[in-house]
Amino acid sequence: MKWVYGFGGGTAEGSGEQAELLGGKGAGLAEMSLLGIPVPPGFTVTTEACRHYLRGGGRFPDGLDDQLHEQMHGLEQQLGQGFGDPSRPLLVSVRSGAPVSMPGMMDTVLNLGLVRASLAADDEADARFRRDCFRRLQAMYGEVVLGIPPARFDAALREVLAGSAATSERDLGAEGLDAVVAAFDTVLAESGHELPDDPWAQLRAAIGAVFSSWNNRRAVEYRRLHDIDEKMGTGVTVQAMVFGNRGSDCATGVAFSRNPSTGERELYGEFLVDAQGEDVVAGTHTPQPIAGRAGSGGSGTDGVDGDGGLRSQFPEAYDELLRVCQTLERHFRNMQDLEFTIQHGKLYMLQTRAGKRSGPAAVRMAVEMVRERLIDRREAVRRVEPQHLTQMMAPVFDLAERQRALGEGRLLAVGLGAGPGAASGRIAFTAERASAMAGEGPVLLVRDETSPEDIVGMHAAAGILTTRGGMTSHAAVVARGMGKPCIVGADDLVVDEEAGVLRAGERSFREGESLSIDGTRGEILAGELATLPSEVLQSLDAPEGERQPLLVAAFYQLLRWADRERRLEVRANADTPEDARRAVAFGAQGIGLCRTEHMFFAHERIGWVRQMILADDDAQRRRALDELLPVQQSDFAGIFRALEGRPVTVRLLDPPLHEFLPHGDEALSALARQMGVSVGRVRDKAAALIEVNPMLGHRGCRLGITSPEIYEMQCTAIARAACLVQRAGTPVSCEIMIPLTGVVEEMARCRELVEAAVRRVCDEEGEELDSLLIGTMIEVPRAALIADQLARHADFFSFGTNDLTQMTFGFSRDDVGRFLPEYIEAGVIAGDPFARLDVDGVGQLVELASRRGRMARRDLKLGVCGEHGGDPHSIQFFERCRLDYVSCSPYRLPVARLAAARAAMAFHPGGRAEGLGDPLDPAG
Amino acid sequence: MKWVYGFGGGTAEGSGEQAELLGGKGAGLAEMSLLGIPVPPGFTVTTEACRHYLRGGGRFPDGLDDQLHEQMHGLEQQLGQGFGDPSRPLLVSVRSGAPVSMPGMMDTVLNLGLVRASLAADDEADARFRRDCFRRLQAMYGEVVLGIPPARFDAALREVLAGSAATSERDLGAEGLDAVVAAFDTVLAESGHELPDDPWAQLRAAIGAVFSSWNNRRAVEYRRLHDIDEKMGTGVTVQAMVFGNRGSDCATGVAFSRNPSTGERELYGEFLVDAQGEDVVAGTHTPQPIAGRAGSGGSGTDGVDGDGGLRSQFPEAYDELLRVCQTLERHFRNMQDLEFTIQHGKLYMLQTRAGKRSGPAAVRMAVEMVRERLIDRREAVRRVEPQHLTQMMAPVFDLAERQRALGEGRLLAVGLGAGPGAASGRIAFTAERASAMAGEGPVLLVRDETSPEDIVGMHAAAGILTTRGGMTSHAAVVARGMGKPCIVGADDLVVDEEAGVLRAGERSFREGESLSIDGTRGEILAGELATLPSEVLQSLDAPEGERQPLLVAAFYQLLRWADRERRLEVRANADTPEDARRAVAFGAQGIGLCRTEHMFFAHERIGWVRQMILADDDAQRRRALDELLPVQQSDFAGIFRALEGRPVTVRLLDPPLHEFLPHGDEALSALARQMGVSVGRVRDKAAALIEVNPMLGHRGCRLGITSPEIYEMQCTAIARAACLVQRAGTPVSCEIMIPLTGVVEEMARCRELVEAAVRRVCDEEGEELDSLLIGTMIEVPRAALIADQLARHADFFSFGTNDLTQMTFGFSRDDVGRFLPEYIEAGVIAGDPFARLDVDGVGQLVELASRRGRMARRDLKLGVCGEHGGDPHSIQFFERCRLDYVSCSPYRLPVARLAAARAAMAFHPGGRAEGLGDPLDPAG
C-alpha cells in the first residue's frame, strides 16, 4: 500500500486531480510541481492513511513508517541536509489538508526537525534565526501535538519582552530568544510535557496529531454545518521548510489571482517581510498589500518599510509570482488562493487552491472568465452559489463601521437573520407609529411578533425586528417577500409595548432612538450604521436602456445563462399589481401564489371585510361582499395585465376570519359605530371567532364550504377581471387554487362552486376564458395521502410546504422559536425545516403526492409555493421530484433561477437535451 | 332471466337464504311458506330487476312483464279471483324489501287491483269494506307512486269527518266513505293525477315507484349513515291481500318472539282489531298489547274493546301465532319480528325478520340462546353489537318523564352527545363551585369549554355541558374517561360566566338552578328528571361474591366468551391508582396510557408544578422537582400494585407548561405570594409561555429535550416505585413512553435519558427491574413517515390517534366544532374522524408506520392509546393492521373487548387457531 506521495523539483507522484487521496493542499503542491512552479520539495501522507490511523485507534498503518523514512531520505539527498543533523538540519513543515477546504481545522507545525544541538550557530544572525525557529516549533508543537493552549506561550513571551528592552519579539536578539526558549520549556514542563529532541519522534507525533485533529470539536462542527462527509479524513503534507524570516530579503504572503472582494482581474494579496506564514494568518502583525498602499507614493517607492508593495521591494519575486498566478489560473480555470514565501529573494509556492470569493466577485469572475474563454457558460453557472446572488441583493453595513461598533460594545443581541441586508433606523413599536414616522427618515419596526394587520407598517419600515418567531414566522416571511432586512426570535430583547421601551439587559431604548440590524448576520447594534445599497436592486428602478454598472450587467448575464440550463419553471409569489410587475422584472414566468387576503387589508377594504365577517344576516353579508367585489376585480385585472398571459395562480381566501378583525377595545368600538351595532355584540362575535389553534382551525376551503358566498365573490371578481383584460387584447392564463384541501369532497365541491361562478360570469360577459385551471394546494398531510383522489378533481397541485411542514412535524411556526434554536444548536435536528425542506419526512409526502397525483392524472401540473420554493437545497429536491415549477417571493427569483439551473445540471450533467447554442460563445 | 320468484301454499321458488336476491321480506316469506306457515301467496320481484330498472333509466327489464302476468295468473287460479275482476277482485299489496333492513325507505301500497267497478257490493258491510280499501289505495298510491304529500289526504279526510257526525273514519259508513273517495279523487286531480282504473297500470306503476324509492333522499341518507352498499337495490313483494279490517273478527299486529326491550322469552307485541297494517305503524290508533294490559283483568276477560289481549280475543289465532313464533325462532335461531293479520279469525303471516333489540335485550337473548343451545358462543358474540354494551352502562332518564318534559317545552337545545348517560343537577359555572356545591347533591358543570384545571370540578360533577368543542374536546374525552354524561358543542346556549347566567334563547338559568342532560341523545332539558342507574356499573362497587342480577351476569358472561375470540390485547387509559383498579375490574390487561400530567393537578402538587415552571434558576427548579418526586413515586407505586404485573405504559410529561399555570389575576397574585416574587414577574413569565398554536407548540418530548430535569425526575419516580413494589413481592412490568416524537434524535436522546435515570435508581436500590420497555407515541405524521428510524430506538409504538388525526387533517379538536358538524351534515366528510378512525387518510399512516416499524424491528410492540382504541369500527381496522393492543378509557373496556372479539372473528371466521373448549358448552 502506498501511503506517501512525493513531490518537488518538477515531478510528483501524485497530481492535482487526487484531492480525495492527497487532500487539497497535497494535490495542489503535486500539480504545481508538475507545472514546473517552484515548490519546496516534500511529500503527502494520504487521507487513506488517516482513515486507517483513526480506525486503528491511533496506530500508523503498516508500511507507513518505512515510506516516511524513504521519502525523508530522498529529501535529505536532494537538499544536502540531514534530518536531525545539528549543523545542516533538514527542517520540515507538517500541515493538514482535507479533500475539501476546512478552514476551521487547519493544524500546522513548522520547523520540525530542529533539535537542541542545532541551536549552535555560525554567527549572531544564524543564532537568532535558529532560536526563532526553535521557539516557534516549541509553541506550535505544544499547541497542535500536546494540546497546550497557545495563550500560555503568548503570556510567557510577553513576560520575556516585559523584562527586556524589546517591544516585539522581532527586536529580540539571540540572547533574548534564548530566554523565550527557556520560558517555553517551562510552559511545556508545567503541562507535564517536553519537546522530543528526536526529530523522528517529532515527525511521527505531529503527523498523528494532524490525523487526530480530524475529529476535534471544531472540525466535527464545521463538517456538520457544511454537510461534509465524516469519513473522508485529512491528508498530511510534509515539506522542506523555506524561510521568510531569514532577513529583510525574505518575506511570506498570500495572494489571489483576482480580487476576491470585487472580482477584478488583478494580483491581489498581502505580505510580511522577514516573517513566517503564521504571522500573516494570526493577525498579530499588519501585513502590506502586494499592490502597495494607495497615497503612499505608488510604484517606484522603495525600502523595507516602504509602502511600494511587493513589486518595488522584491521585483524578481513579484514578476515570478505574477507568472505563477497566471499559469495556475489558466491551468485550474479558476481564481487561485496562493501562499508563498520569499527566501533570500527567491519565490517559493507553498499552496494553491480555488479562492473563496464574495458574491459580487463570484458573479463578475464567472462572467468574465467566460468572456476570456477560460470556462464555458455552464461552468459559470456552476461557479456561482445561490447565496452569492443573495449577497448582491442585500444592502450591507460598511464592514469597518461594524468593527468599530462591536469594539464600542454596541452589539445588543443576536437573533435569527431572517431577511438578509442591513438597516438602521429609529425604533417604532407599532405598525401605525412606523407608518407615521417613516416620513421623517428610516424606521425599524420592533415588535414581539407581527400579524397581517401590521403589513402597512412593515412596508413603511426600513427593517423589522421581532423578539419571537422563527425563520418563517409572519415577520420573516413578509420581510423576505418585501426584500427587507429582518431579524426574528431575538429573545434576549424584551419589548414592553405599553411602556414604549425595548430592553436589552441593562440598557433600554425608547421610540425614536436609533438601532441597526444586520439581517444577514442577525446582529442588533445600538445606534446608526451607514448602509451600502445593493446595485442590483437599484437597477430595477433605473430608467430603461440606461447603461447598467458592470456588476449588475454580469448579474443578469449569469441569470440568462442559468435560464438556459433549467427545467423547472420559476414563478413568484405576488399579491398586488405592483409586486407582479416587480416579479416580471426579476424574470418570473408566472405568479405561483397570489394571496387574495393580502388585498383585504388595504385601508378602504378592511372595513367591508369586517362587516362581511360580522354580518348578522345574508343580506348584510352580501352587501359587504358586493362592495369588495369591484376592488378585488381591479386588483386581479392589474395582475393579469402585468403578467401578459403568463399563468397567475390565485389562491382563494385562506386565513381564519378572526385574523381580519381589529384587536383592542378602541378598534372594536370604532367598528361597532361603523356597523351601527353595540360594542358588546361586536366583541362577542369577535370572541366567538377566537380559536385555540388557529393554524388547524376554520380556514382555507373550510370557509369556502361553510361560507360559499366568499369564494363565489372571489371567483366572480377573478372571472370578470379575466374577461375584461382578455377583451382588451392582453391574454390571460388563470389558475384558481383551493387552499387547505384534505378531504376529496372539499375539492369536488369547491371545484363545482368555482366552475359555476366562472360560467355565470362568462355567460354574462359573452366571453370565454383562454385558459383556466382549477387546482388545490397540498398542505395538509392527508391531502398528500389522498392525492390520487384529489387529482381526479384538480388540474394542478401546488405544495404549500410551509403548512405541510408545520403539520408533518407538528411545529407551529409561530411558536417554534421556543425550542427550534435549541434543537439546532444541540444537533437534534439538522436545520430549520421551514428554511430547507425536510426531505426525510415532509419530502416523502411531496414525493408520494406527486407520484400518486400523476398516476391518477398524467398531465397534472405540480408546483411549490411555500417558502422552500426559493431555497436552493429544496429546489434540488423539487427537481428530483420533477415538479413543473417553484414559486417564491420576487426578491428570491434570481436565487431560484440559478438554483434551478444548478439542480438541473446536477441531475443532467451532460446538459439539457435541447442544449442551446455554443456553450463557449461569450455573447451569451 | 328469472325476475320473479313465487311463494305460498307450502312451496316457494326462493328461500330464506336469498335475501340478497329477494330482499329480506321476500326471502322471509319464501322461507315461511316452505316451513308450512300460513302466508298469503304472492311473488317477489328481484333486486336484480331493480338494478336493471334503475340502470335503464326506469324501464322494466325484458321479460319482467311476461313473468308478472304469469305469476298473477297463477295467483288468480290459486285464489279463484280475478285481477281487476269487479265482483271477485284479486287485491294485492306491493312492498319494498331491501337485502338489509332499511326502515327509512319502506314504501308500501295496499289493495292494488281495486277498480271503480269493484265498489259495487253485496251489502252495506261489503260496501263499506270495499270503499275503505279503495280510499286507502287512493292515498297510498297517491303518496308512493305520485309523490303527493300524505298530509293532503289527511286534511281531506278531516274535512269529510268535520262535515259528518263521525269522530273517526272507523265510524264512517259506506256513504261517508264515498265522500272520502270523492274527496281523495279531488286531491289526486288537484295534483294533476288520477288513480288508473287499470289494475295492471296500477301494478306496474307501483313496482316502478318502489324501485325508484331506492334512490329517494331518505334512503340515500339512511344508507350513507349505515354504510350500506348503494348498488344493492330493493326487492318488491307482491302478495295477495288478507284483511284485518273486515270486521271485529279481524285484526292486524306485530309480534316479537322475545321481548325486544328486556330480552325475556315471551311472545311480545301489539295488535289492532278491524284495522290494516299501516294503522299500527302510523300511530294514529293506539294498539293493544298482545299480552293484554296489566291490571285490566288479565286473561279471561273478553270483548272487542277489552284489555284481555290477543289470547282471549283470538284464542286460535293466538295459539297459532305462538307456534309460528317458536317455529321461526328455532328455524332462524334468532329473535323474530313478525307482522301478521287475522282475517275472520284465521292467522296469516306477512313478514318475518330478525328483530331489533335494546342493549340489555341483546345481551340477555344472546346468553340465553346459548344456554338453550340455539346458537353457539361465537354466534352470541356476533349477535351483540358494541353499542348494546354502551347502552347497558349508561344511566338513563325514564322515557315517560322525558316525553312529558318534551311536551312541556323543556327542551332547551341539542348538542353533541359526548358521554352517554343521563344526569340532572344544579348548574355550576366553575370547577371550584362545582366542587363546593357537590356536597349538597348532584351538580352539572356548565362551561364554554373545560381545561385540565377543571379536572377536580369535573370529577365532582354529575355531568358536564359545554357550549364549544367536539366529540374529542377536553370535556368530551375526560367525561368519557370518567364515564360521566356529557354534552359538548351546544352552541345555541350562551354561558355568561361573569354574570353567572346560562342563556337559552329567551330563557336564562342561574347557578344552582336545575338542568338535565342526556349525553346519549345530546338533549338539554330544563329542570330535573329522575335517572335510572346502570346495573352494570353498580355491580362494580357491589361486595364481592354478591349475587349479580341476571342481566349483569349475562353482560360479564358475554364478555368472557368474547375474550376467548379476540387476538388484540385490551388495555385501559388510567392515570391514578383508583382508575387503575377500576380498569382491572373491567378486564384491562394492562394500562396503555398513564398520563403523568393528570397527577400534577391534585391540590398539594399543582403549586410545586407551577414553581418548577416559573423557577428562575436551576436550584429553584430542582427544589420544586424534589417535592414532586415522592408524590409521583407514590402514584406510580399505587398503579403498579393495582396492575399486579400487567404492563403499565407511562407517558412522560406531554402538555405545554402553560396549561399548568393559573388563569386570572387573583390566582396569579396568589402564586406570586407563594413564590415570594412580584405579580408582574409571574404574569410576564406566564405570558411568555402562551403559544399561538399550543397543539403544535413546546410540549411532549420537546420539553424533555429542552428541560431534561423534568423527565429525569419522572423516570426516577417510576423506577423507584417499580423497585419498591417489586421488592415487596408484586411483579412490575413497566413501559416508559416518549410523547410527540417526530425526529429520530429526539427518541435517541430521550431513550438515553430514561435509561440513565433508571440505571441510577437501580444502582442505588440494588434492584433490577423485571421488565422495562422504552417506546414512543406515534402522533406526529412525521413519526409515522420515519417509523423505521424510530423503531431502532423504540421497543414499542403507541399510536396517539387523537393527535395524529389532528395533524393529518389539520383539524384542531378544540376548534373543529366550528365546521365539522356542518361538514358531516352536508356529507363533505362521512363522520367525525375523532370518533371513528379515518382509515383512508390517518389509517395509511398507521399502516405505514406499523409496516416500517416492524420491518426495522420484528418484535416491535404496537398499540393504540387514542380515543379510537375504544371505537368498534376503529378496532376492526387495528385488527387488520395486526396491532398488539388497544387502550381505551376504563368505561370503554367492555365495548373494546367485544369489538376486538368481533373484529378477530370477522378476519378469521373459522375461529381462533387456539379455539378453546366446546363452542356449544353453555357453561362458558
Side-chain angles (χ1 to χ4, degrees), chain A residues 688 690-696 702 746 749 780 782 785 808-810 812 815 818 823 826 838 844 852, chain B residues 688 690-696 702 746 749 780 782 785 808-810 812 815 818 823 826 838 844 852:
Chain A
I690 299 284
E691 293 178 306
V692 179
N693 294 291
M695 170 70 211
L696 308 175
R702 299 165 195 174
E746 289 174 331
R749 291 181 193 213
V780 167
R782 193 175 190 277
L785 295 168
T808 305
F809 272 93
S812 160
D815 305 312
R818 296 286 168 70
Y823 263 40
D838 159 48
Q844 283 192 46
R852 291 193 178 168
Chain B
I690 299 282
E691 291 178 307
V692 179
N693 295 291
M695 170 69 211
L696 308 175
R702 299 165 195 172
E746 289 174 332
R749 290 180 194 214
V780 167
R782 194 175 191 278
L785 295 168
T808 304
F809 272 93
S812 159
D815 305 313
R818 296 285 169 71
Y823 263 41
D838 159 49
Q844 284 192 46
R852 291 194 179 168

Side-chain angles (χ1 to χ4, degrees), chain A residues 475-679:
Chain A
V477 172
V478 172
R480 276 201 294 279
M482 292 177 172
K484 280 192 201 291
C486 175
I487 297 178
V488 297
D491 51 11
D492 287 340
L493 302 181
V494 177
V495 171
D496 186 340
E497 202 181 307
E498 221 163 293
V501 169
L502 169 73
R503 293 207 185 83
E506 297 302 305
R507 308 176 65 172
S508 64
F509 298 82
R510 312 207 141 263
E511 180 186 291
E513 290 194 65
S514 286
L515 211 63
S516 296
I517 61 171
D518 182 336
T520 312
R521 288 191 170 82
E523 292 174 351
I524 300 133
L525 300 128
E528 217 149 316
L529 270 76
T531 58
L532 305 176
S534 136
E535 282 185 317
V536 171
L537 285 180
Q538 286 178 338
S539 76
L540 274 188
D541 298 322
E544 202 144 339
E546 187 167 290
R547 214 187 147 217
Q548 287 173 324
L550 191 77
L551 215 47
V552 175
F555 179 92
Y556 287 108
Q557 179 60 74
L558 189 88
L559 284 180
R560 282 193 299 275
W561 289 339
D563 286 346
R564 297 194 169 194
E565 305 300 331
R566 76 187 149 83
R567 185 195 61 79
L568 276 166
E569 198 180 297
V570 174
R571 300 190 185 180
N573 303 345
D575 308 337
T576 63
E578 187 191 336
D579 282 357
R581 277 187 292 273
R582 182 171 303 121
V584 171
F586 263 140
Q589 295 170 282
I591 302 290
L593 177 61
C594 172
R595 282 161 292 215
T596 50
E597 61 270 18
H598 281 200
M599 301 176 183
F600 279 14
F601 278 102
H603 278 307
E604 75 274 24
R605 302 167 187 186
I606 187 68
W608 289 112
V609 174
R610 288 170 178 169
Q611 297 209 23
M612 167 193 87
I613 294 167
L614 300 173
D616 267 326
D617 52 46
D618 276 358
Q620 206 178 341
R621 170 166 288 192
R622 277 266 156 235
R623 208 158 44 243
L625 286 168
D626 286 348
E627 291 287 338
L628 286 169
L629 197 151
V631 286
Q632 287 238 308
Q633 182 183 330
S634 103
D635 275 338
F636 291 130
I639 291 171
F640 290 145
R641 274 189 216 103
L643 268 290
E644 295 177 321
R646 297 178 186 88
V648 177
T649 310
V650 180
R651 181 179 71 185
L652 300 182
L653 191 70
D654 182 49
L657 295 179
H658 56 73
E659 280 202 8
F660 297 100
L661 296 183
H663 304 302
D665 284 347
E666 210 171 300
L668 284 169
S669 302
L671 183 58
R673 271 196 307 280
Q674 198 184 338
M675 293 184 64
V677 298
S678 78
V679 189

Side-chain angles (χ1 to χ4, degrees), chain B residues 427-447:
Chain B
I427 297 172
F429 291 112
T430 65
E432 293 71 36
R433 290 297 300 149
S435 303
M437 289 161 62
E440 303 139 39
V443 172
L444 292 184
L445 179 61
V446 178
R447 294 186 62 72

Side-chain angles (χ1 to χ4, degrees), chain A residues 426 428 431-444 457 459-462:
Chain A
R426 286 156 308 131
E432 294 71 35
R433 291 295 301 147
S435 302
M437 290 161 60
E440 303 141 38
V443 171
L444 292 184
H459 211 92

Side-chain angles (χ1 to χ4, degrees), chain A residues 625-892:
Chain A
L625 286 168
D626 286 348
E627 291 287 338
L628 286 169
L629 197 151
V631 286
Q632 287 238 308
Q633 182 183 330
S634 103
D635 275 338
F636 291 130
I639 291 171
F640 290 145
R641 274 189 216 103
L643 268 290
E644 295 177 321
R646 297 178 186 88
V648 177
T649 310
V650 180
R651 181 179 71 185
L652 300 182
L653 191 70
D654 182 49
L657 295 179
H658 56 73
E659 280 202 8
F660 297 100
L661 296 183
H663 304 302
D665 284 347
E666 210 171 300
L668 284 169
S669 302
L671 183 58
R673 271 196 307 280
Q674 198 184 338
M675 293 184 64
V677 298
S678 78
V679 189
R681 270 197 64 67
V682 171
R683 196 184 293 124
D684 283 356
K685 281 217 157 193
L689 287 175
I690 299 284
E691 293 178 306
V692 179
N693 294 291
M695 170 70 211
L696 308 175
H698 193 181
R699 52 179 283 249
C701 66
R702 299 165 195 174
L703 286 173
I705 300 279
T706 58
S707 303
E709 61 277 10
I710 302 177
Y711 279 12
E712 268 158 24
M713 179 277 283
Q714 295 198 302
C715 292
T716 304
I718 294 166
R720 286 199 188 153
C723 285
L724 196 82
V725 171
Q726 214 174 271
R727 194 150 50 212
T730 306
V732 171
S733 168
C734 178
E735 305 182 345
I736 294 179
M737 181 157 74
I738 314 298
L740 214 71
T741 315
V743 175
V744 67
E745 267 300 301
E746 289 174 331
M747 184 62 206
R749 291 181 193 213
C750 286
R751 184 179 186 109
E752 246 173 62
L753 183 158
V754 172
E755 280 176 344
V758 171
R759 183 74 267 141
R760 211 175 307 117
V761 170
C762 287
D763 288 349
E764 279 165 21
E765 301 280 336
E767 185 90 23
E768 287 300 315
L769 297 189
D770 298 334
S771 165
L772 172 71
L773 300 181
I774 302 169
T776 181
M777 293 196 69
I778 302 287
E779 49 187 339
V780 167
R782 193 175 190 277
L785 295 168
I786 60 156
D788 46 342
Q789 297 175 32
L790 288 174
R792 282 180 213 114
H793 303 274
D795 304 321
F796 64 89
F797 285 172
S798 178
F799 290 96
T801 50
N802 294 353
D803 280 6
L804 193 58
T805 299
Q806 294 198 77
M807 295 187 214
T808 305
F809 272 93
F811 286 174
S812 160
R813 64 182 183 187
D814 295 305
D815 305 312
V816 81
R818 296 286 168 70
F819 57 90
L820 195 59
E822 210 170 323
Y823 263 40
I824 295 170
E825 172 77 24
V828 175
I829 196 168
D832 182 348
F834 294 108
R836 184 188 296 191
L837 190 88
D838 159 48
V839 171
D840 252 21
V842 180
Q844 283 192 46
L845 291 177
V846 172
E847 235 176 323
L848 181 87
S850 302
R851 209 154 9 97
R852 291 193 178 168
R854 281 200 171 122
M855 260 159 67
R857 181 175 175 151
R858 277 183 65 177
D859 66 342
L860 187 74
K861 209 179 207 180
L862 298 174
V864 168
C865 67
E867 281 289 299
H868 302 97
D871 168 62
H873 281 94
S874 309
I875 288 172
Q876 191 153 9
F877 173 73
F878 299 139
E879 171 70 33
R880 207 176 82 200
C881 293
R882 298 197 73 79
L883 302 192
D884 295 304
Y885 68 88
V886 295
S887 186
C888 57
S889 65
Y891 294 100
R892 293 292 288 179

